[in-house]
């Protein structure tokens, strides 16, 4: 069992030497709210019919990596693979990770947007409406003339730079507002909602270019709370965690005034993240009911602006891809979908081969593009191995 690093604190919990323990003990570092599971657990059927132990992948330097070397090189904490609804591979670097919710960082965006889809289907949200119809406080901010769909699709043009390694400036102010970083005593009341209202407008129209900016997804959580009439954790529990049959409570980090960090603060048991991925692969159907509207899953896998994506910063990773409702479309022949978080958190869904893969990690740096490409090749190789 991993032990808590002696010098771990709020300023270093995401850094190497601290992060492997911290990433599955987040509630001991940051304020959180519980996302309650229901009374019924959906059992994960297990199968030994398929094996992925012999799968290899070309590493960044071109040499073949075994599955085990890939797990080591990518600082993996957990790997779960389901094939047509059956769990065929389950691996953890430490037994404690199997039973502890692990932070999923920006995979939280995809989970939160899925909740938004449920509320849209119920008529509580309208993606065509302006953000200020839900949050009038944002009228003078960069979001003052943006629509909810633009927020969902990351095509809002705000004055914000996503710099995970920043040691000063707007991004550190953002981290401080979310309670993810220490603040000065005289700034103790600084909070996420005030920060969102302080973001200015960048030059250019909304809707033209895909730009990855995490505050958009925290704003989505605020909008969901306003429309749903209760805190995010309660809505997430009622509309997702209970219906999908989660086996453990999840939780989400909150700021010093209780605002949910929906851009990156959800912490989930690995098997429950697999259940969520399977729910999406099955077009929103689980345990005899339609939990997520099927049309929403279809929109996430097919919708979005090709033009905005092609003008954006990630088109080189997925030249044929798109982005819709905080889900990545790879654009490959199988229409594989992805939810991705920093430090190498993944959900990979291949609807043609029936594969769902969850990979949770403690990668030493927030971003490693060369390893991201290797991860994707390994996911495709696993999918091909199980579907010869």
């Amino acid at each position: 069992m991993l032990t808590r690093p002696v010098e771990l604190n709020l300023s270093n919990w995401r850094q190497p030497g601290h992060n492997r323990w911290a990433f599955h003990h987040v509630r001991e570092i940051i304020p959180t709210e519980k996302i309650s599971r229901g009374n019924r657990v959906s059992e994960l059927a297990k199968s030994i019919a398929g094996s992925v132990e012999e799968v290899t992948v070309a590493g960044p330097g071109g040499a073949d990596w075994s599955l085990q070397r890939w797990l080591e090189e990518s600082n993996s904490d957990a790997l779960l693979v389901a094939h047509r609804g059956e769990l065929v591979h389950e691996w953890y670097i430490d037994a404690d990770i199997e039973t502890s919710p692990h932070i999923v960082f920006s995979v939280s965006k995809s989970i939160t947007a899925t909740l938004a889809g449920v509320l849209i289907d119920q008529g509580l949200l309208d993606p065509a409406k302006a953000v200020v119809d839900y949050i009038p406080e944002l009228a003078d901010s960069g979001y003052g003339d943006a629509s909810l769909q633009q927020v969902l699709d990351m095509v809002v043009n705000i004055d914000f730079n996503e710099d995970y390694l920043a040691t000063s400036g707007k991004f550190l102010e953002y981290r401080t507002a979310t309670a993810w970083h220490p603040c000065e005593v005289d700034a103790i009341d600084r909070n996420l909602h005030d920060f969102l209202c302080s973001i200015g407008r960048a030059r250019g129209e909304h809707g033209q270019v895909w730009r990855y900016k995490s505050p958009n997804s925290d704003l989505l959580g605020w909008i969901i709370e306003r429309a749903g009439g209760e805190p995010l954790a309660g809505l997430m529990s009622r509309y997702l965690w209970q219906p999908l049959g989660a086996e453990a409570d999840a939780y989400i980090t909150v700021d010093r005034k209780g605002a949910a960090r929906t851009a990156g603060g959800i912490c989930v048991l690995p098997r429950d993240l697999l259940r969520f991925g399977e729910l999406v692969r099955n077009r929103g159907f689980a345990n005899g009911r339609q939990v997520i509207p099927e049309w929403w899953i279809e929109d996430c896998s097919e919708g979005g602006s090709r033009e905005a994506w092609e003008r954006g910063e990630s088109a080189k990773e997925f030249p044929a891809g798109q982005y819709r409702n905080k889900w990545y479309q790879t654009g490959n022949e199988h229409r594989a979908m992805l939810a991705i978080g920093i430090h190498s958190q993944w959900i990979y869904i291949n609807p043609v081969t029936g594969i769902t893969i969850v990979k949770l990690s403690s990668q030493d740096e927030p971003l490693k593009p060369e390893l991201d490409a290797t991860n994707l090749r390994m996911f495709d190789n696993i999918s091909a191995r199980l579907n010869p």
Side-chain angles (χ1 to χ4, degrees), residues 1-5 19-22 24-25 77 93-97 362:
M1 181 177 293
L2 300 172
T3 58
R4 178 180 177 127
N19 61 357
R20 174 150 277 153
W21 185 91
H24 65 287
H25 290 88
D77 293 337
I93 196 168
D94 184 85
D96 196 27
I97 291 172
S362 300

Side-chain angles (χ1 to χ4, degrees), residues 28 37 47 54 97 171 202:
E28 298 177 44
R37 69 176 182 88
S47 173
E54 303 304 317
I97 291 172
F171 194 82

Side-chain angles (χ1 to χ4, degrees), residues 42-43 53 58 67 117 150 152 165 170 186 199 206 211 246 260 282 285 312 316 342 346 369 387-388:
S42 177
E43 295 300 325
E53 296 289 348
L67 182 77
Q150 290 168 339
L152 281 161
L165 301 179
K170 199 74 172 176
D186 59 358
I199 298 175
H206 297 312
R211 295 183 176 93
N282 286 307
F285 191 84
K316 59 184 179 296
I342 58 170
W346 297 81
N387 293 270

Side-chain angles (χ1 to χ4, degrees), residues 105-387:
F105 289 107
S106 289
V107 173
S108 305
K109 295 175 171 67
S110 306
I111 298 172
T112 301
T114 303
L115 174 60
V118 175
L119 298 190
I120 290 169
D121 194 61
Q122 293 184 356
L124 296 174
L125 284 175
D126 181 351
K129 278 192 171 184
V131 165
V132 293
D133 289 340
Y134 300 100
I135 314 288
E137 297 96 310
L138 291 164
D140 296 327
S141 75
Y143 294 107
D145 57 346
S147 71
L148 174 56
Q149 189 64 65
Q150 290 168 339
V151 168
L152 281 161
D153 291 348
M154 292 282 197
V155 290
V156 177
N157 201 10
I158 54 171
D159 184 17
F160 181 84
N161 182 30
E162 191 95 0
D163 181 2
Y164 300 111
L165 301 179
T167 57
S168 63
K170 199 74 172 176
F171 194 82
L172 195 65
E173 182 184 341
Y174 171 50
R175 280 251 167 95
T176 301
T178 64
W180 278 34
H181 192 81
C183 66
E184 301 295 334
V185 173
D186 59 358
I188 198 70
D189 287 334
R190 186 173 296 164
N191 62 82
L192 179 54
H193 291 171
D194 287 347
F195 178 82
L196 293 172
C197 291
S198 77
I199 298 175
R201 185 79 150 75
R203 295 180 63 183
E205 297 299 315
H206 297 312
Q208 301 303 304
V209 182
W210 184 85
R211 295 183 176 93
Y212 191 89
K213 299 179 186 291
S214 285
N216 295 338
S217 302
D218 291 311
L219 173 57
L220 177 62
W222 191 6
I223 292 171
I224 287 172
E225 289 185 329
R226 281 283 173 90
E230 65 177 285
L232 191 285
L235 294 165
M236 191 76 71
S237 170
R238 181 187 314 147
Y239 292 118
L240 289 182
W241 237 239
Q242 294 184 46
L244 69 79
E247 68 178 89
D249 297 332
Y251 60 90
I252 186 168
T253 71
V254 296
D255 73 1
R256 298 171 184 88
K257 292 190 174 181
R261 180 83 208 280
T262 44
I266 295 179
C267 303
V268 182
L269 196 73
R271 280 189 296 271
D272 285 338
L273 193 61
L274 185 71
R275 287 180 173 91
F276 173 75
E278 278 287 282
L279 174 63
V280 174
R281 184 185 68 81
N282 286 307
R283 319 308 278 176
F285 191 84
N287 299 318
R289 59 174 288 196
Q290 196 71 40
V291 178
I292 307 163
E294 186 173 5
W295 68 263
W296 178 259
I297 304 295
E298 191 65 26
D299 190 46
C300 292
S301 63
E302 296 289 339
S305 167
R306 279 285 304 154
E307 293 79 11
W309 176 258
E310 288 172 350
R311 297 186 193 108
E313 58 204 37
S314 291
K316 59 184 179 296
E317 279 100 24
F318 306 119
Q322 288 177 207
Y323 186 89
R324 183 67 160 179
N325 303 325
K326 307 201 182 296
W327 284 89
Y328 294 88
Q329 303 164 20
T330 61
N332 71 9
E333 61 181 346
H334 290 167
R335 298 165 56 217
M337 295 171 61
L338 302 168
I340 309 173
I342 58 170
H343 298 281
S344 196
Q345 325 307 322
W346 297 81
I347 303 176
Y348 168 96
I349 300 169
N350 189 320
V352 173
T353 61
I355 296 291
T356 302
I357 299 173
V358 163
K359 180 184 187 293
L360 300 175
S361 317
S362 300
Q363 186 173 283
D364 53 354
E365 297 176 19
L367 300 175
K368 282 190 172 181
E370 71 283 1
L371 266 180
D372 288 346
T374 303
N375 291 334
L376 282 167
R377 288 195 298 271
M378 178 57 94
F379 299 152
D380 287 341
N381 291 354
I382 289 172
S383 186
R385 176 60 177 261
L386 294 172
N387 293 270

